[in-house]
Protein backbone atom coordinates (compact mmCIF):
# COMPACT_ATOMS: atom_id res chain seq x y z
CA UNK A 1 0.00 0.00 0.00
CA UNK A 2 0.96 3.62 -0.11
CA UNK A 3 1.83 5.65 2.93
CA UNK A 4 -0.14 8.78 3.70
CA UNK A 5 0.97 10.01 7.10
CA UNK A 6 0.76 6.58 8.73
CA UNK A 7 3.20 5.35 11.33
CA UNK A 8 5.20 2.26 10.48
CA UNK A 9 4.27 -1.21 11.74
CA UNK A 10 6.93 -3.15 13.60
CA UNK A 11 8.24 -6.69 13.59
CA UNK A 12 10.47 -8.06 16.34
CA UNK A 13 12.33 -11.34 15.91
CA UNK A 14 15.11 -13.28 17.59
CA UNK A 15 18.46 -13.66 15.89
CA UNK A 16 18.43 -16.72 13.71
CA UNK A 17 14.68 -16.69 13.10
CA UNK A 18 13.20 -16.14 9.67
CA UNK A 19 11.43 -12.82 9.08
CA UNK A 20 8.52 -12.12 6.77
CA UNK A 21 7.64 -8.57 5.81
CA UNK A 22 4.48 -7.92 3.86
CA UNK A 23 3.34 -5.32 1.38
CA UNK A 24 0.01 -4.84 -0.38
CA UNK A 25 -0.59 -2.90 -3.55
CA UNK A 26 -3.75 -1.67 -5.17
CA UNK A 27 -3.06 -1.40 -8.89
CA UNK A 28 -3.60 -4.72 -10.64
CA UNK A 29 -1.60 -3.40 -13.60
CA UNK A 30 1.53 -2.99 -11.47
CA UNK A 31 4.27 -5.14 -12.91
CA UNK A 32 7.52 -4.33 -11.17
CA UNK A 33 8.41 -4.02 -7.50
CA UNK A 34 11.54 -3.28 -5.50
CA UNK A 35 12.36 -3.93 -1.86
CA UNK A 36 14.56 -1.41 -0.05
CA UNK A 37 16.28 -1.50 3.34
CA UNK A 38 16.74 1.77 5.20
CA UNK A 39 19.05 1.85 8.18
CA UNK A 40 18.71 4.60 10.76
CA UNK A 41 19.85 7.97 9.44
CA UNK A 42 20.60 6.66 5.96
CA UNK A 43 19.01 6.47 2.55
CA UNK A 44 17.30 3.35 1.19
CA UNK A 45 19.44 0.51 -0.16
CA UNK A 46 18.28 -1.79 -2.95
CA UNK A 47 17.72 -5.36 -1.76
CA UNK A 48 15.88 -7.25 -4.48
CA UNK A 49 13.32 -6.70 -7.21
CA UNK A 50 10.69 -8.77 -8.96
CA UNK A 51 8.64 -8.49 -12.13
CA UNK A 52 5.07 -9.62 -12.45
CA UNK A 53 5.97 -12.50 -14.74
CA UNK A 54 7.57 -14.16 -11.72
CA UNK A 55 6.05 -15.47 -8.49
CA UNK A 56 9.29 -15.81 -6.61
CA UNK A 57 12.81 -14.51 -6.73
CA UNK A 58 15.68 -15.40 -4.46
CA UNK A 59 18.78 -13.54 -3.43
CA UNK A 60 21.31 -14.04 -0.71
CA UNK A 61 19.25 -14.89 2.40
CA UNK A 62 16.27 -13.03 0.94
CA UNK A 63 13.29 -14.22 -1.06
CA UNK A 64 10.53 -12.12 -2.53
CA UNK A 65 7.15 -13.67 -3.24
CA UNK A 66 4.54 -12.03 -5.46
CA UNK A 67 0.88 -13.01 -5.37
CA UNK A 68 -0.84 -11.13 -8.14
CA UNK A 69 -4.23 -12.61 -7.35
CA UNK A 70 -4.43 -10.85 -4.01
CA UNK A 71 -2.01 -8.05 -4.93
CA UNK A 72 0.45 -8.89 -2.23
CA UNK A 73 4.18 -9.29 -2.02
CA UNK A 74 6.41 -10.38 0.80
CA UNK A 75 10.08 -10.25 1.66
CA UNK A 76 11.45 -13.21 3.54
CA UNK A 77 14.78 -12.93 5.33
CA UNK A 78 16.36 -16.22 6.37
CA UNK A 79 18.40 -16.56 9.57
CA UNK A 80 17.84 -12.94 10.51
CA UNK A 81 20.84 -11.17 11.99
CA UNK A 82 21.11 -8.02 14.16
CA UNK A 83 22.51 -6.21 11.14
CA UNK A 84 19.19 -6.77 9.40
CA UNK A 85 17.51 -4.38 11.85
CA UNK A 86 16.18 -1.55 9.70
CA UNK A 87 13.05 -0.25 8.03
CA UNK A 88 11.99 -2.22 4.96
CA UNK A 89 9.96 -0.68 2.16
CA UNK A 90 8.39 -2.08 -0.93
CA UNK A 91 8.35 0.39 -3.79
CA UNK A 92 6.90 0.57 -7.26
CA UNK A 93 8.60 2.51 -10.05
CA UNK A 94 6.31 4.34 -12.42
CA UNK A 95 5.83 2.90 -15.87
CA UNK A 96 7.07 -0.53 -14.90
CA UNK A 97 10.67 0.47 -15.54
CA UNK A 98 13.52 -0.13 -13.15
CA UNK A 99 14.33 3.57 -13.06
CA UNK A 100 10.98 5.38 -12.91
CA UNK A 101 9.98 7.61 -10.03
CA UNK A 102 9.17 5.55 -6.97
CA UNK A 103 6.06 5.22 -4.90
CA UNK A 104 6.98 3.75 -1.54
CA UNK A 105 4.82 1.52 0.57
CA UNK A 106 4.19 2.07 4.25
CA UNK A 107 7.32 0.33 5.47
CA UNK A 108 7.97 -2.06 8.35
CA UNK A 109 10.43 -1.59 11.20
CA UNK A 110 12.34 -4.84 11.75
CA UNK A 111 14.11 -5.25 15.09
CA UNK A 112 16.35 -8.28 15.58
CA UNK A 113 17.16 -9.23 19.16
CA UNK A 114 20.45 -11.05 19.85
CA UNK B 1 30.27 2.17 -7.85
CA UNK B 2 27.04 4.17 -8.22
CA UNK B 3 27.53 6.41 -5.19
CA UNK B 4 25.27 9.34 -4.46
CA UNK B 5 26.49 11.94 -2.00
CA UNK B 6 24.34 14.46 -0.16
CA UNK B 7 25.60 17.53 1.63
CA UNK B 8 25.15 18.61 4.33
CA UNK B 9 24.08 15.53 6.25
CA UNK B 10 22.60 17.61 9.05
CA UNK B 11 21.66 21.27 9.29
CA UNK B 12 20.06 23.31 12.03
CA UNK B 13 19.00 26.86 11.31
CA UNK B 14 16.64 29.59 12.37
CA UNK B 15 13.15 30.08 11.04
CA UNK B 16 13.11 32.26 7.93
CA UNK B 17 16.48 31.05 6.67
CA UNK B 18 16.92 29.49 3.26
CA UNK B 19 18.81 26.21 3.17
CA UNK B 20 20.49 24.57 0.19
CA UNK B 21 21.01 20.82 -0.03
CA UNK B 22 23.29 19.27 -2.63
CA UNK B 23 22.96 15.89 -4.28
CA UNK B 24 25.90 14.60 -6.31
CA UNK B 25 26.37 11.45 -8.32
CA UNK B 26 30.04 10.67 -7.75
CA UNK B 27 30.85 8.08 -10.38
CA UNK B 28 28.07 8.29 -12.94
CA UNK B 29 26.05 10.83 -14.84
CA UNK B 30 22.40 11.39 -14.07
CA UNK B 31 20.08 13.44 -16.22
CA UNK B 32 17.31 12.64 -13.77
CA UNK B 33 17.42 12.90 -9.99
CA UNK B 34 14.62 12.70 -7.48
CA UNK B 35 13.96 14.47 -4.19
CA UNK B 36 12.05 12.79 -1.38
CA UNK B 37 10.95 13.91 2.06
CA UNK B 38 10.55 11.62 5.03
CA UNK B 39 9.01 12.55 8.36
CA UNK B 40 9.91 10.51 11.46
CA UNK B 41 8.51 6.99 11.47
CA UNK B 42 6.93 7.52 8.06
CA UNK B 43 7.58 6.48 4.50
CA UNK B 44 9.36 8.42 1.80
CA UNK B 45 7.24 10.80 -0.24
CA UNK B 46 8.41 11.99 -3.64
CA UNK B 47 8.59 15.76 -3.82
CA UNK B 48 9.90 16.36 -7.31
CA UNK B 49 11.79 15.00 -10.28
CA UNK B 50 14.87 17.01 -11.15
CA UNK B 51 15.85 17.14 -14.83
CA UNK B 52 19.23 18.38 -16.00
CA UNK B 53 18.88 21.47 -18.12
CA UNK B 54 15.14 21.87 -17.66
CA UNK B 55 12.57 22.67 -15.02
CA UNK B 56 11.83 20.22 -12.25
CA UNK B 57 8.53 18.38 -12.16
CA UNK B 58 6.82 18.74 -8.81
CA UNK B 59 4.37 16.32 -7.24
CA UNK B 60 0.91 17.49 -6.35
CA UNK B 61 0.85 19.58 -3.20
CA UNK B 62 4.56 20.48 -3.27
CA UNK B 63 5.15 24.22 -3.58
CA UNK B 64 7.68 24.87 -6.32
CA UNK B 65 8.43 28.37 -5.03
CA UNK B 66 9.12 26.96 -1.59
CA UNK B 67 11.35 24.11 -2.72
CA UNK B 68 13.60 25.38 -5.49
CA UNK B 69 15.40 22.74 -7.52
CA UNK B 70 18.35 23.37 -9.80
CA UNK B 71 19.98 20.63 -11.87
CA UNK B 72 22.67 22.47 -13.75
CA UNK B 73 25.00 19.56 -14.48
CA UNK B 74 24.82 15.82 -15.04
CA UNK B 75 26.20 15.15 -11.57
CA UNK B 76 24.60 17.79 -9.34
CA UNK B 77 21.10 18.70 -8.28
CA UNK B 78 20.34 21.16 -5.49
CA UNK B 79 17.22 21.62 -3.39
CA UNK B 80 16.77 24.98 -1.69
CA UNK B 81 14.18 25.25 1.04
CA UNK B 82 13.29 28.93 1.00
CA UNK B 83 12.22 30.81 4.12
CA UNK B 84 12.20 27.59 6.09
CA UNK B 85 9.83 27.16 9.02
CA UNK B 86 9.65 24.51 11.74
CA UNK B 87 7.11 22.48 9.75
CA UNK B 88 9.75 22.08 7.03
CA UNK B 89 11.91 20.12 9.45
CA UNK B 90 12.31 16.68 7.94
CA UNK B 91 14.73 14.17 6.41
CA UNK B 92 15.35 15.06 2.76
CA UNK B 93 16.69 12.29 0.54
CA UNK B 94 17.79 12.44 -3.07
CA UNK B 95 18.28 9.68 -5.57
CA UNK B 96 19.87 9.56 -8.98
CA UNK B 97 19.12 7.45 -11.99
CA UNK B 98 22.25 6.46 -13.96
CA UNK B 99 22.17 7.48 -17.60
CA UNK B 100 22.26 4.70 -20.18
CA UNK B 101 21.44 2.08 -17.59
CA UNK B 102 18.47 0.07 -16.43
CA UNK B 103 19.69 0.16 -12.86
CA UNK B 104 17.25 1.30 -10.18
CA UNK B 105 17.81 4.65 -8.55
CA UNK B 106 20.70 5.04 -6.15
CA UNK B 107 19.99 6.97 -2.97
CA UNK B 108 22.02 9.44 -0.98
CA UNK B 109 22.22 9.20 2.79
CA UNK B 110 19.83 12.06 3.34
CA UNK B 111 19.94 15.48 4.97
CA UNK B 112 18.32 16.03 8.31
CA UNK B 113 16.91 19.56 8.41
CA UNK B 114 15.90 21.07 11.73
CA UNK B 115 14.34 24.53 11.77
CA UNK B 116 14.22 26.26 15.13
Amino acid sequence: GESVGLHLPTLSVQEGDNSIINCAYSNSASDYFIWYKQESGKGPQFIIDIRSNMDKRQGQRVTVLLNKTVKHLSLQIAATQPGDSAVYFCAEPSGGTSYGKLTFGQGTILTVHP
Amino acid sequence: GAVVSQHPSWVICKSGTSVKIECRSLDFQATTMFWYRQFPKQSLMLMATSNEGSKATYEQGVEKDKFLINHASLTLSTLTVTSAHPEDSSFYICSARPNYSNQPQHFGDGTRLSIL
Side-chain angles (χ1 to χ4, degrees), chain A residues 8 38 98-101 105, chain B residues 38 41 43 59 97 102 104-105:
Chain A
L8 309 180
Q38 185 181 26
S98 60
Y99 45 83
K101 64 180 185 179
Chain B
Q38 184 178 32
K41 300 270 192 246
S43 187
E59 295 299 301
R97 179 179 116 183
N102 288 330
Q105 301 165 35

Side-chain angles (χ1 to χ4, degrees), chain A residues 3-8 32 34 36 38 41-44 46 49 89 98-102 104-107 109, chain B residues 34 36 38 40-46 49 59 91 93 95 97 101-110 112:
Chain A
S3 172
V4 184
L6 298 175
H7 286 243
L8 309 180
Y32 179 63
I34 305 173
Y36 285 93
Q38 185 181 26
K42 296 195 172 183
F46 174 91
D49 58 0
F89 295 98
S98 60
Y99 45 83
K101 64 180 185 179
L102 292 167
F104 281 83
Q106 185 180 18
I109 300 172
Chain B
F34 301 91
Y36 297 83
Q38 184 178 32
K41 300 270 192 246
Q42 294 188 21
S43 187
L44 284 77
M45 297 294 288
L46 178 67
T49 302
E59 295 299 301
F91 193 48
I93 306 172
S95 68
R97 179 179 116 183
S101 169
N102 288 330
Q103 295 179 33
Q105 301 165 35
H106 300 283
F107 285 84
D109 273 343
R112 186 160 304 282

